[in-house]
Amino acid sequence: QVQLVESGGGLVQAGGSLRLSCVASGIISSINDMGWYRQAPGKQRELVAEVTRGSSTNYAESVKGRFTISRDNARNTVSLQMNSLKPEDTAVYYCTAEVRTFTNTRAYWGQGTQVTVSS
């Protein structure tokens, strides 16, 4: 059984910073892409940022220059440093990872962590 557990969400004022972390645990052979999605109330879940095993990154236009994604392959972790936060960044943030086990390869999701940015 593979689990992804996020941490680091919370309440912050506009212009502030937060750092989200996610750790994958279980019987893992390797992890391909890792990423962060978010879902605001009444909206669809959207990609925030993703990083390949080789550390190539991709960001949503709305967060470019403000957010930085990174990963530690040895520890099976992915982090999202969020700076210059805006009220429109308020959402539940979900960690995802494409995990290869000894039986298959599939995407796993965390339970989500709330980020609230006050104006």
Side-chain angles (χ1 to χ4, degrees), residues 16 27 38 62 81 103 112:
I27 302 176
R38 66 187 180 187
S62 60
Q81 177 66 42
T103 55

Side-chain angles (χ1 to χ4, degrees), residues 28-50:
I28 297 171
S29 177
S30 62
I31 300 178
N32 299 327
D33 294 353
M34 303 185 82
W36 291 92
Y37 282 70
R38 66 187 180 187
Q39 187 167 19
K43 294 188 177 182
Q44 290 188 330
R45 190 174 297 189
E46 63 175 2
L47 173 70
V48 176
E50 58 188 351

Side-chain angles (χ1 to χ4, degrees), residues 88-115:
E88 50 264 43
D89 294 318
T90 295
V92 177
Y93 284 69
Y94 297 91
C95 168
T96 183
E98 186 179 64
V99 178
R100 180 182 177 187
T101 65
F102 295 111
T103 55
N104 63 13
T105 301
R106 52 157 284 197
Y108 290 85
W109 292 83
Q111 80 287 354
T113 185
Q114 177 70 47
V115 171

Side-chain angles (χ1 to χ4, degrees), residues 5 13 15-16 20 29 32 39 46 51 61 64 75 100 103 106 110 118-119:
V5 178
Q13 288 189 333
L20 305 182
S29 177
N32 299 327
Q39 187 167 19
E46 63 175 2
V51 57
E61 285 295 327
K64 281 184 179 178
R75 299 186 178 187
R100 180 182 177 187
T103 55
R106 52 157 284 197
S118 63
S119 57

